[in-house]
Amino acid sequence: MQPRAVALAITACALLATPGQAADPPSPEAVVDAFEAVLGPIRTHRPSHAKGTCAAGHFVATPEGTRLSVAPTFSGQRVPAIIRFAVGGGNPNAPDTARLTRGLSIRFETPAGDIWDMANISVPIFGSPTPQALVEGLLVRRPDPATGQPDQARVNAFVAANPATTYQGRWLAQNNPPASWATTPYWGVNAFRFRGQDGEVRHARWVFEPRAGTLRLTEEQMRTMPADFLADELRRRVAAAPVEFDMVLQFPGPGDDLTNPTVAWPDDRPRAVVGRLAVTEVAPGPGGACDPISFMTLDQAPGVEFSDDPTLHARTAPYAVSLSRRLQ
Ligand code: HEM
């Protein structure tokens, strides 16, 4: 057995040996191994949101954003941004009509050199309640070498034992994909702690709301649109005028779960518009400034700090491991 396969087998055994009990979080390597178990070695593209286009622009916080966060990104000055729009899943050739998430990843870099990375999706919820469920869900979908297909009975048993892993798929089944990367909200999904100018710390989730409004593909368009239209459509829009999104914070109400990203908070929760992102350039073709980096889901403490959500804490290191394998 190859060393990687041994590591994978050990991880799988550790995860499966204690059904129903909280297992230790998987190591960053085990997370990326699990993606590779399903997708094969990842050397040329990201294992998640593999298909993407680089863009650039800037972010300016509103006075309310400056009040709610002492982080440099919310100073109210213009903060340059490296941006990546993407189509979810591990296939770099996924059709733009696929019922998958769309991604909006942003690296803010202030003129003083403060960097803040985030990766957002076009669905308000994530597909796994814990990092353990993410890894286990990937491992049960490993193709059987004999058939090239996952063992459907094992997949069914996993899904029955982990219903929260189906919520995101159900949302995607009920909401057609966006007609443009510019016409969908993108949610940060995990809760963060915002430290305001008044010293108070407030939990919040964010969403980037499109100034162009939300527009989805019709069923007819899903059948007839070409496999690659999103990048050119965005280039045409940005050539005419910047594509803008309002960054909106949503604050939890009593009983809202701060640590489970598979459950959205109710729409009637208080909100605050904390800034505006403007997309002003789109790479003319493949490659660009977003390609050699990973949007690692960072905090920007003090000002924007991690909540106790375990899936949030399990993001940064695997993103770095994934990038290092890609750069090998
Ligand atoms: C346990 C939790 C998670 C793990 C282990 C995980 C893992 C990963 C990994 C390994 C990558 C590839 C990074 C790279 O190669 O550069 C990735 C990319 C991505 N993830 Fe996650 N992820 C998690 C949660 C989430 C959540 C909650 C969201 C939704 C907001 C999300 C959205 C994305 C997006 C949009 C990308 C593509 C980033 C880009 O454009 O470069 N992930 N994820």
Side-chain angles (χ1 to χ4, degrees):
M1 206 186 254
Q2 297 299 309
R4 169 140 329 139
V6 174
L8 194 57
I10 293 169
T11 311
C13 290
L15 283 165
L16 299 174
T18 51
Q21 292 174 26
D24 286 339
S27 72
E29 289 76 16
V31 171
V32 181
D33 286 344
F35 277 105
E36 291 199 327
V38 180
L39 300 169
I42 312 151
R43 297 295 174 270
T44 54
H45 52 269
R46 289 143 164 86
S48 170
H49 294 82
K51 182 181 189 182
T53 296
C54 294
H58 58 262
F59 177 82
V60 180
T62 59
E64 185 67 346
T66 306
R67 189 181 75 77
L68 288 168
S69 176
V70 296
T73 297
F74 292 95
S75 68
Q77 303 299 307
R78 176 184 280 228
V79 177
I82 297 175
I83 298 166
R84 182 171 184 267
F85 288 92
V87 178
N91 177 3
N93 301 310
D96 290 349
T97 49
R99 260 187 210 282
L100 296 165
T101 56
R102 305 291 179 268
L104 168 65
S105 303
I106 310 167
R107 168 167 293 183
F108 304 94
E109 185 166 359
T110 67
D114 300 289
I115 288 180
W116 184 33
D117 286 355
M118 57 166 65
N120 310 292
I121 53 173
S122 59
V123 178
I125 52 176
F126 190 50
S128 293
T130 60
Q132 291 88 336
L134 174 73
V135 168
E136 203 180 330
L138 286 165
L139 293 178
V140 296
R141 289 176 173 84
R142 269 174 301 189
D144 179 332
T147 62
Q149 298 298 319
D151 178 340
Q152 200 51 49
R154 286 189 72 209
V155 174
N156 294 347
F158 170 79
V159 167
N162 298 274
T165 61
T166 63
Y167 301 164
Q168 191 190 67
R170 197 168 62 199
W171 195 98
L172 286 164
Q174 291 165 350
N175 294 274
N176 284 0
S180 161
W181 271 324
T183 64
T184 174
Y186 295 91
W187 285 266
V189 176
N190 299 118
F192 283 73
R193 292 186 176 98
F194 280 73
R195 189 179 299 269
Q197 301 286 348
D198 56 2
E200 199 172 313
V201 175
R202 302 166 178 89
H203 276 95
R205 289 174 169 176
W206 63 71
V207 55
F208 283 83
E209 294 193 336
R211 299 271 300 159
T214 299
L215 185 64
R216 302 190 176 281
L217 295 175
T218 62
E219 297 289 327
E220 164 77 9
Q221 287 171 322
M222 287 180 68
R223 285 190 298 274
T224 57
M225 294 291 282
D228 301 297
F229 69 90
L230 284 172
D232 279 341
E233 198 274 348
L234 188 68
R235 286 182 191 112
R236 282 194 297 275
R237 273 182 193 262
V238 172
V243 162
E244 295 179 325
F245 296 87
D246 282 333
M247 185 181 186
V248 179
L249 296 190
Q250 185 191 28
F251 301 99
D256 290 347
D257 195 332
L258 304 176
T259 60
N260 182 353
T262 63
V263 180
W265 298 340
D267 287 339
D268 64 0
R269 296 300 185 234
R271 292 152 44 97
V273 180
V274 292
R276 183 165 296 172
L277 177 74
V279 183
T280 55
E281 287 170 50
V282 185
C290 76
D291 240 27
I293 65 174
S294 181
F295 296 87
M296 279 192 235
T297 310
L298 304 173
D299 63 13
Q300 200 178 38
V304 185
E305 295 147 47
F306 278 14
S307 68
D308 295 335
D309 179 346
T311 64
L312 179 54
H313 288 265
R315 291 181 70 178
T316 311
Y319 284 47
V321 169
S322 174
L323 175 67
S324 70
R325 290 190 189 174
R326 198 156 67 242
L327 296 179
Q328 266 169 24

